[in-house]
PDB file of all heavy atoms in Angstrom:
ATOM      1  N   GLY A   1      -6.535 -20.697  18.576  1.00 94.00           N
ATOM      2  CA  GLY A   1      -7.886 -21.290  18.770  1.00 94.00           C
ATOM      3  C   GLY A   1      -8.923 -20.497  17.864  1.00 94.00           C
ATOM      4  O   GLY A   1     -10.091 -20.867  18.171  1.00 94.00           O
ATOM      5  N   LYS A   2      -8.466 -19.603  17.035  1.00 96.00           N
ATOM      6  CA  LYS A   2      -9.502 -18.944  16.105  1.00 96.00           C
ATOM      7  C   LYS A   2      -9.161 -19.189  14.667  1.00 96.00           C
ATOM      8  O   LYS A   2      -8.188 -19.755  14.259  1.00 96.00           O
ATOM      9  CB  LYS A   2      -9.371 -17.510  16.339  1.00 96.00           C
ATOM     10  CG  LYS A   2      -9.779 -17.097  17.813  1.00 96.00           C
ATOM     11  CD  LYS A   2      -9.842 -15.540  18.073  1.00 96.00           C
ATOM     12  CE  LYS A   2     -10.366 -15.217  19.478  1.00 96.00           C
ATOM     13  NZ  LYS A   2     -10.450 -13.773  19.625  1.00 96.00           N
ATOM     14  N   GLN A   3     -10.207 -18.927  13.869  1.00 96.00           N
ATOM     15  CA  GLN A   3     -10.067 -18.970  12.527  1.00 96.00           C
ATOM     16  C   GLN A   3      -9.242 -17.943  11.822  1.00 96.00           C
ATOM     17  O   GLN A   3      -9.126 -16.841  12.387  1.00 96.00           O
ATOM     18  CB  GLN A   3     -11.660 -18.901  11.774  1.00 96.00           C
ATOM     19  CG  GLN A   3     -12.434 -20.190  12.184  1.00 96.00           C
ATOM     20  CD  GLN A   3     -11.997 -21.362  11.414  1.00 96.00           C
ATOM     21  OE1 GLN A   3     -11.495 -22.264  11.943  1.00 96.00           O
ATOM     22  NE2 GLN A   3     -12.259 -21.264  10.051  1.00 96.00           N
ATOM     23  N   ARG A   4      -8.690 -18.163  10.696  1.00 97.00           N
ATOM     24  CA  ARG A   4      -7.787 -17.198  10.094  1.00 97.00           C
ATOM     25  C   ARG A   4      -8.839 -16.095   9.414  1.00 97.00           C
ATOM     26  O   ARG A   4      -9.847 -16.531   8.821  1.00 97.00           O
ATOM     27  CB  ARG A   4      -7.015 -17.769   8.909  1.00 97.00           C
ATOM     28  CG  ARG A   4      -6.024 -16.922   8.221  1.00 97.00           C
ATOM     29  CD  ARG A   4      -5.093 -17.588   7.254  1.00 97.00           C
ATOM     30  NE  ARG A   4      -4.334 -18.555   7.985  1.00 97.00           N
ATOM     31  CZ  ARG A   4      -3.365 -19.331   7.391  1.00 97.00           C
ATOM     32  NH1 ARG A   4      -3.102 -19.132   6.139  1.00 97.00           N
ATOM     33  NH2 ARG A   4      -2.687 -20.137   8.140  1.00 97.00           N
ATOM     34  N   GLU A   5      -8.581 -14.889   9.609  1.00 97.00           N
ATOM     35  CA  GLU A   5      -9.443 -13.881   9.038  1.00 97.00           C
ATOM     36  C   GLU A   5      -8.684 -12.817   8.186  1.00 97.00           C
ATOM     37  O   GLU A   5      -7.515 -12.618   8.401  1.00 97.00           O
ATOM     38  CB  GLU A   5     -10.083 -13.102  10.274  1.00 97.00           C
ATOM     39  CG  GLU A   5      -9.118 -12.384  11.145  1.00 97.00           C
ATOM     40  CD  GLU A   5      -9.860 -11.612  12.186  1.00 97.00           C
ATOM     41  OE1 GLU A   5     -11.107 -11.309  12.146  1.00 97.00           O
ATOM     42  OE2 GLU A   5      -9.144 -11.019  13.118  1.00 97.00           O
ATOM     43  N   LEU A   6      -9.423 -12.316   7.214  1.00 98.00           N
ATOM     44  CA  LEU A   6      -8.795 -11.332   6.392  1.00 98.00           C
ATOM     45  C   LEU A   6      -8.715 -10.050   7.170  1.00 98.00           C
ATOM     46  O   LEU A   6      -9.801  -9.545   7.792  1.00 98.00           O
ATOM     47  CB  LEU A   6      -9.762 -11.192   5.103  1.00 98.00           C
ATOM     48  CG  LEU A   6      -9.213 -10.017   4.114  1.00 98.00           C
ATOM     49  CD1 LEU A   6      -8.080 -10.400   3.629  1.00 98.00           C
ATOM     50  CD2 LEU A   6     -10.405  -9.843   3.095  1.00 98.00           C
ATOM     51  N   VAL A   7      -7.624  -9.376   7.092  1.00 98.00           N
ATOM     52  CA  VAL A   7      -7.278  -8.138   7.850  1.00 98.00           C
ATOM     53  C   VAL A   7      -7.480  -6.923   6.720  1.00 98.00           C
ATOM     54  O   VAL A   7      -8.039  -5.909   7.145  1.00 98.00           O
ATOM     55  CB  VAL A   7      -6.001  -8.074   8.542  1.00 98.00           C
ATOM     56  CG1 VAL A   7      -5.707  -6.567   9.159  1.00 98.00           C
ATOM     57  CG2 VAL A   7      -6.005  -9.197   9.583  1.00 98.00           C
ATOM     58  N   ALA A   8      -6.725  -7.027   5.728  1.00 98.00           N
ATOM     59  CA  ALA A   8      -6.644  -5.994   4.737  1.00 98.00           C
ATOM     60  C   ALA A   8      -6.361  -6.577   3.360  1.00 98.00           C
ATOM     61  O   ALA A   8      -5.708  -7.612   3.352  1.00 98.00           O
ATOM     62  CB  ALA A   8      -5.670  -4.936   5.113  1.00 98.00           C
ATOM     63  N   ALA A   9      -6.845  -5.836   2.302  1.00 98.00           N
ATOM     64  CA  ALA A   9      -6.573  -6.385   0.966  1.00 98.00           C
ATOM     65  C   ALA A   9      -6.307  -5.168   0.074  1.00 98.00           C
ATOM     66  O   ALA A   9      -6.848  -4.044   0.442  1.00 98.00           O
ATOM     67  CB  ALA A   9      -7.592  -7.270   0.391  1.00 98.00           C
ATOM     68  N   ILE A  10      -5.634  -5.309  -0.991  1.00 98.00           N
ATOM     69  CA  ILE A  10      -5.301  -4.197  -1.994  1.00 98.00           C
ATOM     70  C   ILE A  10      -5.250  -4.887  -3.307  1.00 98.00           C
ATOM     71  O   ILE A  10      -4.715  -5.891  -3.524  1.00 98.00           O
ATOM     72  CB  ILE A  10      -3.950  -3.589  -1.632  1.00 98.00           C
ATOM     73  CG1 ILE A  10      -3.777  -2.333  -2.572  1.00 98.00           C
ATOM     74  CG2 ILE A  10      -2.676  -4.424  -1.614  1.00 98.00           C
ATOM     75  CD1 ILE A  10      -2.549  -1.386  -2.060  1.00 98.00           C
ATOM     76  N   THR A  11      -5.987  -4.115  -4.321  1.00 96.00           N
ATOM     77  CA  THR A  11      -5.918  -4.726  -5.630  1.00 96.00           C
ATOM     78  C   THR A  11      -4.729  -4.191  -6.440  1.00 96.00           C
ATOM     79  O   THR A  11      -3.990  -3.358  -5.811  1.00 96.00           O
ATOM     80  CB  THR A  11      -7.199  -4.245  -6.260  1.00 96.00           C
ATOM     81  OG1 THR A  11      -7.174  -2.853  -6.437  1.00 96.00           O
ATOM     82  CG2 THR A  11      -8.406  -4.564  -5.574  1.00 96.00           C
ATOM     83  N   SER A  12      -4.552  -4.717  -7.620  1.00 91.00           N
ATOM     84  CA  SER A  12      -3.545  -4.219  -8.443  1.00 91.00           C
ATOM     85  C   SER A  12      -3.618  -2.750  -8.647  1.00 91.00           C
ATOM     86  O   SER A  12      -2.627  -2.058  -9.009  1.00 91.00           O
ATOM     87  CB  SER A  12      -3.408  -4.988  -9.668  1.00 91.00           C
ATOM     88  OG  SER A  12      -4.519  -5.018 -10.410  1.00 91.00           O
ATOM     89  N   GLY A  13      -4.811  -2.185  -8.703  1.00 91.00           N
ATOM     90  CA  GLY A  13      -5.180  -0.814  -9.048  1.00 91.00           C
ATOM     91  C   GLY A  13      -4.987   0.091  -7.821  1.00 91.00           C
ATOM     92  O   GLY A  13      -5.029   1.369  -7.904  1.00 91.00           O
ATOM     93  N   GLY A  14      -4.783  -0.588  -6.565  1.00 94.00           N
ATOM     94  CA  GLY A  14      -4.554   0.235  -5.434  1.00 94.00           C
ATOM     95  C   GLY A  14      -5.729   0.489  -4.512  1.00 94.00           C
ATOM     96  O   GLY A  14      -5.666   1.046  -3.445  1.00 94.00           O
ATOM     97  N   SER A  15      -6.903  -0.093  -4.849  1.00 97.00           N
ATOM     98  CA  SER A  15      -8.020  -0.111  -4.075  1.00 97.00           C
ATOM     99  C   SER A  15      -7.789  -0.975  -2.783  1.00 97.00           C
ATOM    100  O   SER A  15      -7.372  -2.047  -2.879  1.00 97.00           O
ATOM    101  CB  SER A  15      -9.279  -0.596  -4.766  1.00 97.00           C
ATOM    102  OG  SER A  15      -9.666   0.372  -5.875  1.00 97.00           O
ATOM    103  N   THR A  16      -8.361  -0.553  -1.673  1.00 98.00           N
ATOM    104  CA  THR A  16      -8.069  -1.207  -0.394  1.00 98.00           C
ATOM    105  C   THR A  16      -9.384  -1.575   0.318  1.00 98.00           C
ATOM    106  O   THR A  16     -10.368  -0.763   0.182  1.00 98.00           O
ATOM    107  CB  THR A  16      -7.156  -0.384   0.511  1.00 98.00           C
ATOM    108  OG1 THR A  16      -7.800   0.908   0.784  1.00 98.00           O
ATOM    109  CG2 THR A  16      -5.775  -0.041  -0.106  1.00 98.00           C
ATOM    110  N   MET A  17      -9.275  -2.550   1.217  1.00 98.00           N
ATOM    111  CA  MET A  17     -10.449  -2.823   2.151  1.00 98.00           C
ATOM    112  C   MET A  17      -9.822  -3.241   3.425  1.00 98.00           C
ATOM    113  O   MET A  17      -8.698  -3.804   3.492  1.00 98.00           O
ATOM    114  CB  MET A  17     -11.361  -3.831   1.500  1.00 98.00           C
ATOM    115  CG  MET A  17     -10.776  -5.181   1.315  1.00 98.00           C
ATOM    116  SD  MET A  17     -10.656  -6.303   2.821  1.00 98.00           S
ATOM    117  CE  MET A  17     -12.435  -6.355   3.194  1.00 98.00           C
ATOM    118  N   TYR A  18     -10.577  -2.986   4.496  1.00 98.00           N
ATOM    119  CA  TYR A  18     -10.059  -3.329   5.852  1.00 98.00           C
ATOM    120  C   TYR A  18     -11.172  -4.109   6.625  1.00 98.00           C
ATOM    121  O   TYR A  18     -12.342  -3.756   6.486  1.00 98.00           O
ATOM    122  CB  TYR A  18      -9.623  -2.197   6.532  1.00 98.00           C
ATOM    123  CG  TYR A  18      -8.416  -1.382   6.001  1.00 98.00           C
ATOM    124  CD1 TYR A  18      -8.665  -0.358   4.998  1.00 98.00           C
ATOM    125  CD2 TYR A  18      -7.019  -1.814   6.265  1.00 98.00           C
ATOM    126  CE1 TYR A  18      -7.647   0.300   4.405  1.00 98.00           C
ATOM    127  CE2 TYR A  18      -6.020  -1.176   5.578  1.00 98.00           C
ATOM    128  CZ  TYR A  18      -6.271  -0.152   4.726  1.00 98.00           C
ATOM    129  OH  TYR A  18      -5.279   0.516   4.139  1.00 98.00           O
ATOM    130  N   ALA A  19     -10.755  -4.948   7.510  1.00 98.00           N
ATOM    131  CA  ALA A  19     -11.674  -5.395   8.495  1.00 98.00           C
ATOM    132  C   ALA A  19     -12.186  -4.324   9.421  1.00 98.00           C
ATOM    133  O   ALA A  19     -11.317  -3.436   9.750  1.00 98.00           O
ATOM    134  CB  ALA A  19     -11.106  -6.592   9.176  1.00 98.00           C
ATOM    135  N   ASP A  20     -13.353  -4.370  10.012  1.00 98.00           N
ATOM    136  CA  ASP A  20     -13.745  -3.315  10.871  1.00 98.00           C
ATOM    137  C   ASP A  20     -12.888  -3.225  11.962  1.00 98.00           C
ATOM    138  O   ASP A  20     -12.780  -2.027  12.620  1.00 98.00           O
ATOM    139  CB  ASP A  20     -15.267  -3.539  11.287  1.00 98.00           C
ATOM    140  CG  ASP A  20     -16.204  -3.379  10.099  1.00 98.00           C
ATOM    141  OD1 ASP A  20     -15.858  -2.599   9.063  1.00 98.00           O
ATOM    142  OD2 ASP A  20     -17.362  -3.798  10.152  1.00 98.00           O
ATOM    143  N   SER A  21     -12.409  -4.301  12.496  1.00 97.00           N
ATOM    144  CA  SER A  21     -11.596  -4.325  13.828  1.00 97.00           C
ATOM    145  C   SER A  21     -10.231  -3.514  13.685  1.00 97.00           C
ATOM    146  O   SER A  21      -9.662  -3.146  14.643  1.00 97.00           O
ATOM    147  CB  SER A  21     -11.415  -5.658  14.252  1.00 97.00           C
ATOM    148  OG  SER A  21     -10.572  -6.460  13.253  1.00 97.00           O
ATOM    149  N   VAL A  22      -9.777  -3.334  12.385  1.00 98.00           N
ATOM    150  CA  VAL A  22      -8.508  -2.663  12.206  1.00 98.00           C
ATOM    151  C   VAL A  22      -8.646  -1.268  11.422  1.00 98.00           C
ATOM    152  O   VAL A  22      -7.603  -0.690  11.358  1.00 98.00           O
ATOM    153  CB  VAL A  22      -7.533  -3.590  11.546  1.00 98.00           C
ATOM    154  CG1 VAL A  22      -7.434  -4.891  12.191  1.00 98.00           C
ATOM    155  CG2 VAL A  22      -7.937  -3.728   9.991  1.00 98.00           C
ATOM    156  N   LYS A  23      -9.802  -0.994  10.979  1.00 98.00           N
ATOM    157  CA  LYS A  23     -10.090   0.226  10.301  1.00 98.00           C
ATOM    158  C   LYS A  23      -9.559   1.413  11.004  1.00 98.00           C
ATOM    159  O   LYS A  23      -9.946   1.700  12.234  1.00 98.00           O
ATOM    160  CB  LYS A  23     -11.534   0.277   9.857  1.00 98.00           C
ATOM    161  CG  LYS A  23     -11.738   1.197   8.639  1.00 98.00           C
ATOM    162  CD  LYS A  23     -13.265   1.059   8.133  1.00 98.00           C
ATOM    163  CE  LYS A  23     -13.566  -0.441   7.629  1.00 98.00           C
ATOM    164  NZ  LYS A  23     -14.909  -0.574   7.202  1.00 98.00           N
ATOM    165  N   GLY A  24      -8.818   2.342  10.405  1.00 98.00           N
ATOM    166  CA  GLY A  24      -8.349   3.467  11.004  1.00 98.00           C
ATOM    167  C   GLY A  24      -6.989   3.272  11.728  1.00 98.00           C
ATOM    168  O   GLY A  24      -6.334   4.355  12.158  1.00 98.00           O
ATOM    169  N   ARG A  25      -6.649   2.059  11.927  1.00 98.00           N
ATOM    170  CA  ARG A  25      -5.374   1.730  12.611  1.00 98.00           C
ATOM    171  C   ARG A  25      -4.350   1.032  11.834  1.00 98.00           C
ATOM    172  O   ARG A  25      -3.069   1.314  11.886  1.00 98.00           O
ATOM    173  CB  ARG A  25      -5.627   0.915  13.805  1.00 98.00           C
ATOM    174  CG  ARG A  25      -6.569   1.405  14.952  1.00 98.00           C
ATOM    175  CD  ARG A  25      -6.545   0.496  16.082  1.00 98.00           C
ATOM    176  NE  ARG A  25      -7.138  -0.795  15.821  1.00 98.00           N
ATOM    177  CZ  ARG A  25      -6.535  -1.842  15.976  1.00 98.00           C
ATOM    178  NH1 ARG A  25      -5.299  -1.885  16.457  1.00 98.00           N
ATOM    179  NH2 ARG A  25      -7.079  -3.090  15.774  1.00 98.00           N
ATOM    180  N   PHE A  26      -4.675   0.306  10.737  1.00 98.00           N
ATOM    181  CA  PHE A  26      -3.856  -0.390   9.842  1.00 98.00           C
ATOM    182  C   PHE A  26      -3.910   0.248   8.534  1.00 98.00           C
ATOM    183  O   PHE A  26      -4.949   0.766   8.061  1.00 98.00           O
ATOM    184  CB  PHE A  26      -4.151  -1.926   9.787  1.00 98.00           C
ATOM    185  CG  PHE A  26      -4.027  -2.723  10.997  1.00 98.00           C
ATOM    186  CD1 PHE A  26      -3.652  -2.097  12.209  1.00 98.00           C
ATOM    187  CD2 PHE A  26      -4.102  -4.015  11.010  1.00 98.00           C
ATOM    188  CE1 PHE A  26      -3.381  -2.894  13.201  1.00 98.00           C
ATOM    189  CE2 PHE A  26      -3.932  -4.798  12.065  1.00 98.00           C
ATOM    190  CZ  PHE A  26      -3.536  -4.169  13.240  1.00 98.00           C
ATOM    191  N   THR A  27      -2.811   0.145   7.663  1.00 98.00           N
ATOM    192  CA  THR A  27      -2.783   0.617   6.403  1.00 98.00           C
ATOM    193  C   THR A  27      -2.098  -0.340   5.542  1.00 98.00           C
ATOM    194  O   THR A  27      -0.871  -0.701   5.825  1.00 98.00           O
ATOM    195  CB  THR A  27      -2.090   2.070   6.175  1.00 98.00           C
ATOM    196  OG1 THR A  27      -2.740   2.947   7.125  1.00 98.00           O
ATOM    197  CG2 THR A  27      -1.982   2.516   4.898  1.00 98.00           C
ATOM    198  N   ILE A  28      -2.673  -0.823   4.550  1.00 98.00           N
ATOM    199  CA  ILE A  28      -2.003  -1.689   3.570  1.00 98.00           C
ATOM    200  C   ILE A  28      -1.610  -1.022   2.302  1.00 98.00           C
ATOM    201  O   ILE A  28      -2.157  -0.057   1.860  1.00 98.00           O
ATOM    202  CB  ILE A  28      -2.936  -2.821   3.151  1.00 98.00           C
ATOM    203  CG1 ILE A  28      -2.224  -3.849   2.230  1.00 98.00           C
ATOM    204  CG2 ILE A  28      -4.175  -2.269   2.300  1.00 98.00           C
ATOM    205  CD1 ILE A  28      -3.035  -5.195   1.982  1.00 98.00           C
ATOM    206  N   SER A  29      -0.320  -1.292   1.860  1.00 97.00           N
ATOM    207  CA  SER A  29       0.132  -0.686   0.676  1.00 97.00           C
ATOM    208  C   SER A  29       0.963  -1.649  -0.085  1.00 97.00           C
ATOM    209  O   SER A  29       1.343  -2.743   0.347  1.00 97.00           O
ATOM    210  CB  SER A  29       1.074   0.584   0.999  1.00 97.00           C
ATOM    211  OG  SER A  29       2.159   0.213   1.841  1.00 97.00           O
ATOM    212  N   ARG A  30       1.260  -1.297  -1.255  1.00 97.00           N
ATOM    213  CA  ARG A  30       2.222  -2.127  -2.076  1.00 97.00           C
ATOM    214  C   ARG A  30       3.165  -1.473  -3.023  1.00 97.00           C
ATOM    215  O   ARG A  30       2.967  -0.251  -3.444  1.00 97.00           O
ATOM    216  CB  ARG A  30       1.339  -2.999  -3.043  1.00 97.00           C
ATOM    217  CG  ARG A  30       0.459  -2.348  -3.946  1.00 97.00           C
ATOM    218  CD  ARG A  30      -0.581  -3.342  -4.698  1.00 97.00           C
ATOM    219  NE  ARG A  30      -0.014  -4.233  -5.497  1.00 97.00           N
ATOM    220  CZ  ARG A  30      -0.652  -5.294  -6.091  1.00 97.00           C
ATOM    221  NH1 ARG A  30      -1.844  -5.575  -5.743  1.00 97.00           N
ATOM    222  NH2 ARG A  30       0.112  -6.054  -6.876  1.00 97.00           N
ATOM    223  N   ASP A  31       4.263  -2.109  -3.355  1.00 95.00           N
ATOM    224  CA  ASP A  31       5.272  -1.596  -4.200  1.00 95.00           C
ATOM    225  C   ASP A  31       5.207  -2.550  -5.390  1.00 95.00           C
ATOM    226  O   ASP A  31       5.884  -3.674  -5.287  1.00 95.00           O
ATOM    227  CB  ASP A  31       6.613  -1.469  -3.526  1.00 95.00           C
ATOM    228  CG  ASP A  31       7.657  -0.840  -4.412  1.00 95.00           C
ATOM    229  OD1 ASP A  31       7.601  -0.868  -5.696  1.00 95.00           O
ATOM    230  OD2 ASP A  31       8.599  -0.404  -3.948  1.00 95.00           O
ATOM    231  N   ASN A  32       4.752  -2.256  -6.490  1.00 92.00           N
ATOM    232  CA  ASN A  32       4.649  -3.244  -7.663  1.00 92.00           C
ATOM    233  C   ASN A  32       5.981  -3.447  -8.212  1.00 92.00           C
ATOM    234  O   ASN A  32       6.263  -4.661  -8.782  1.00 92.00           O
ATOM    235  CB  ASN A  32       3.651  -2.752  -8.721  1.00 92.00           C
ATOM    236  CG  ASN A  32       2.265  -2.778  -8.238  1.00 92.00           C
ATOM    237  OD1 ASN A  32       1.835  -3.590  -7.350  1.00 92.00           O
ATOM    238  ND2 ASN A  32       1.446  -1.763  -8.689  1.00 92.00           N
ATOM    239  N   ASN A  33       6.892  -2.577  -8.195  1.00 92.00           N
ATOM    240  CA  ASN A  33       8.187  -2.715  -8.693  1.00 92.00           C
ATOM    241  C   ASN A  33       9.039  -3.793  -7.938  1.00 92.00           C
ATOM    242  O   ASN A  33       9.884  -4.433  -8.406  1.00 92.00           O
ATOM    243  CB  ASN A  33       9.020  -1.443  -8.893  1.00 92.00           C
ATOM    244  CG  ASN A  33       8.350  -0.414  -9.816  1.00 92.00           C
ATOM    245  OD1 ASN A  33       8.024   0.811  -9.422  1.00 92.00           O
ATOM    246  ND2 ASN A  33       8.096  -0.798 -10.955  1.00 92.00           N
ATOM    247  N   ARG A  34       8.830  -3.904  -6.666  1.00 93.00           N
ATOM    248  CA  ARG A  34       9.421  -4.768  -5.729  1.00 93.00           C
ATOM    249  C   ARG A  34       8.593  -6.018  -5.398  1.00 93.00           C
ATOM    250  O   ARG A  34       9.086  -6.857  -4.542  1.00 93.00           O
ATOM    251  CB  ARG A  34       9.932  -4.071  -4.563  1.00 93.00           C
ATOM    252  CG  ARG A  34      10.885  -2.870  -4.811  1.00 93.00           C
ATOM    253  CD  ARG A  34      11.265  -2.133  -3.510  1.00 93.00           C
ATOM    254  NE  ARG A  34      12.187  -1.089  -3.769  1.00 93.00           N
ATOM    255  CZ  ARG A  34      12.643  -0.254  -2.900  1.00 93.00           C
ATOM    256  NH1 ARG A  34      12.292  -0.351  -1.534  1.00 93.00           N
ATOM    257  NH2 ARG A  34      13.489   0.703  -3.245  1.00 93.00           N
ATOM    258  N   ASN A  35       7.461  -6.123  -5.969  1.00 95.00           N
ATOM    259  CA  ASN A  35       6.556  -7.302  -5.684  1.00 95.00           C
ATOM    260  C   ASN A  35       6.377  -7.439  -4.137  1.00 95.00           C
ATOM    261  O   ASN A  35       6.447  -8.599  -3.635  1.00 95.00           O
ATOM    262  CB  ASN A  35       7.047  -8.561  -6.388  1.00 95.00           C
ATOM    263  CG  ASN A  35       6.999  -8.505  -7.858  1.00 95.00           C
ATOM    264  OD1 ASN A  35       6.075  -7.902  -8.397  1.00 95.00           O
ATOM    265  ND2 ASN A  35       7.833  -9.189  -8.484  1.00 95.00           N
ATOM    266  N   THR A  36       6.173  -6.339  -3.534  1.00 96.00           N
ATOM    267  CA  THR A  36       6.092  -6.320  -2.033  1.00 96.00           C
ATOM    268  C   THR A  36       4.773  -5.669  -1.588  1.00 96.00           C
ATOM    269  O   THR A  36       4.425  -4.554  -2.185  1.00 96.00           O
ATOM    270  CB  THR A  36       7.250  -5.581  -1.459  1.00 96.00           C
ATOM    271  OG1 THR A  36       8.486  -6.289  -1.938  1.00 96.00           O
ATOM    272  CG2 THR A  36       7.242  -5.604   0.034  1.00 96.00           C
ATOM    273  N   VAL A  37       4.114  -6.272  -0.609  1.00 97.00           N
ATOM    274  CA  VAL A  37       3.000  -5.709   0.089  1.00 97.00           C
ATOM    275  C   VAL A  37       3.470  -5.455   1.595  1.00 97.00           C
ATOM    276  O   VAL A  37       4.160  -6.114   2.189  1.00 97.00           O
ATOM    277  CB  VAL A  37       1.836  -6.649   0.020  1.00 97.00           C
ATOM    278  CG1 VAL A  37       2.130  -7.997   0.813  1.00 97.00           C
ATOM    279  CG2 VAL A  37       0.557  -5.977   0.622  1.00 97.00           C
ATOM    280  N   TYR A  38       2.885  -4.364   2.112  1.00 98.00           N
ATOM    281  CA  TYR A  38       3.212  -3.930   3.457  1.00 98.00           C
ATOM    282  C   TYR A  38       1.882  -3.670   4.283  1.00 98.00           C
ATOM    283  O   TYR A  38       0.888  -3.554   3.724  1.00 98.00           O
ATOM    284  CB  TYR A  38       3.942  -2.552   3.440  1.00 98.00           C
ATOM    285  CG  TYR A  38       5.188  -2.372   2.614  1.00 98.00           C
ATOM    286  CD1 TYR A  38       5.150  -1.937   1.287  1.00 98.00           C
ATOM    287  CD2 TYR A  38       6.354  -2.805   3.134  1.00 98.00           C
ATOM    288  CE1 TYR A  38       6.234  -1.950   0.554  1.00 98.00           C
ATOM    289  CE2 TYR A  38       7.495  -2.635   2.368  1.00 98.00           C
ATOM    290  CZ  TYR A  38       7.495  -2.356   1.018  1.00 98.00           C
ATOM    291  OH  TYR A  38       8.567  -2.255   0.283  1.00 98.00           O
ATOM    292  N   LEU A  39       2.051  -3.832   5.565  1.00 98.00           N
ATOM    293  CA  LEU A  39       1.016  -3.533   6.514  1.00 98.00           C
ATOM    294  C   LEU A  39       1.578  -2.763   7.655  1.00 98.00           C
ATOM    295  O   LEU A  39       2.272  -3.212   8.488  1.00 98.00           O
ATOM    296  CB  LEU A  39       0.342  -4.907   7.012  1.00 98.00           C
ATOM    297  CG  LEU A  39      -0.928  -4.639   7.870  1.00 98.00           C
ATOM    298  CD1 LEU A  39      -2.065  -4.111   7.017  1.00 98.00           C
ATOM    299  CD2 LEU A  39      -1.341  -5.968   8.496  1.00 98.00           C
ATOM    300  N   GLN A  40       1.210  -1.474   7.627  1.00 98.00           N
ATOM    301  CA  GLN A  40       1.563  -0.619   8.613  1.00 98.00           C
ATOM    302  C   GLN A  40       0.400  -0.627   9.765  1.00 98.00           C
ATOM    303  O   GLN A  40      -0.774  -0.454   9.536  1.00 98.00           O
ATOM    304  CB  GLN A  40       1.605   0.698   8.170  1.00 98.00           C
ATOM    305  CG  GLN A  40       1.950   1.806   9.337  1.00 98.00           C
ATOM    306  CD  GLN A  40       3.249   1.770   9.914  1.00 98.00           C
ATOM    307  OE1 GLN A  40       4.252   1.450   9.167  1.00 98.00           O
ATOM    308  NE2 GLN A  40       3.389   1.882  11.196  1.00 98.00           N
ATOM    309  N   MET A  41       0.882  -1.100  11.019  1.00 98.00           N
ATOM    310  CA  MET A  41      -0.114  -1.325  12.092  1.00 98.00           C
ATOM    311  C   MET A  41       0.305  -0.317  13.161  1.00 98.00           C
ATOM    312  O   MET A  41       1.268  -0.391  13.698  1.00 98.00           O
ATOM    313  CB  MET A  41       0.004  -2.787  12.679  1.00 98.00           C
ATOM    314  CG  MET A  41      -0.202  -3.811  11.503  1.00 98.00           C
ATOM    315  SD  MET A  41      -0.216  -5.440  12.192  1.00 98.00           S
ATOM    316  CE  MET A  41       1.601  -5.636  12.790  1.00 98.00           C
ATOM    317  N   ASP A  42      -0.690   0.564  13.386  1.00 98.00           N
ATOM    318  CA  ASP A  42      -0.545   1.585  14.533  1.00 98.00           C
ATOM    319  C   ASP A  42      -1.593   1.357  15.548  1.00 98.00           C
ATOM    320  O   ASP A  42      -2.568   0.606  15.454  1.00 98.00           O
ATOM    321  CB  ASP A  42      -0.673   2.995  14.008  1.00 98.00           C
ATOM    322  CG  ASP A  42       0.326   3.372  12.837  1.00 98.00           C
ATOM    323  OD1 ASP A  42       1.502   3.045  13.063  1.00 98.00           O
ATOM    324  OD2 ASP A  42      -0.112   3.925  11.826  1.00 98.00           O
ATOM    325  N   SER A  43      -1.387   1.921  16.792  1.00 98.00           N
ATOM    326  CA  SER A  43      -2.279   1.840  17.881  1.00 98.00           C
ATOM    327  C   SER A  43      -2.687   0.473  18.168  1.00 98.00           C
ATOM    328  O   SER A  43      -3.776  -0.006  18.284  1.00 98.00           O
ATOM    329  CB  SER A  43      -3.627   2.626  17.565  1.00 98.00           C
ATOM    330  OG  SER A  43      -3.281   3.956  17.362  1.00 98.00           O
ATOM    331  N   LEU A  44      -1.619  -0.536  18.203  1.00 98.00           N
ATOM    332  CA  LEU A  44      -1.966  -1.898  18.346  1.00 98.00           C
ATOM    333  C   LEU A  44      -2.510  -2.173  19.647  1.00 98.00           C
ATOM    334  O   LEU A  44      -2.235  -1.719  20.736  1.00 98.00           O
ATOM    335  CB  LEU A  44      -0.587  -2.754  18.267  1.00 98.00           C
ATOM    336  CG  LEU A  44      -0.118  -2.815  16.780  1.00 98.00           C
ATOM    337  CD1 LEU A  44       1.286  -3.178  16.711  1.00 98.00           C
ATOM    338  CD2 LEU A  44      -0.926  -3.840  16.012  1.00 98.00           C
TER     339      LEU A  44
END
């Protein structure tokens, strides 16, 4: 029942941003060699 919202983003250079609601709890990372992005979610 809600709109899709941006949680976290990461640039090719590794800069990150987070929604205020997840800041300090979620961590976004990427492995460019494997073309993979991760989202570590703690304190859910």
Side-chain angles (χ1 to χ4, degrees):
K2 296 185 178 180
Q3 292 285 106
R4 188 173 298 185
E5 64 174 345
L6 177 64
V7 175
I10 185 168
T11 69
S12 60
S15 297
T16 60
M17 64 81 62
Y18 299 92
D20 288 340
S21 60
V22 307
K23 199 169 298 180
R25 299 188 296 121
F26 291 9
T27 304
I28 188 171
S29 61
R30 61 190 290 169
D31 185 337
N32 292 331
N33 296 128
R34 299 178 180 179
N35 289 330
T36 301
V37 62
Y38 305 93
L39 186 67
Q40 178 66 42
M41 304 184 294
D42 299 317
S43 301
L44 283 163

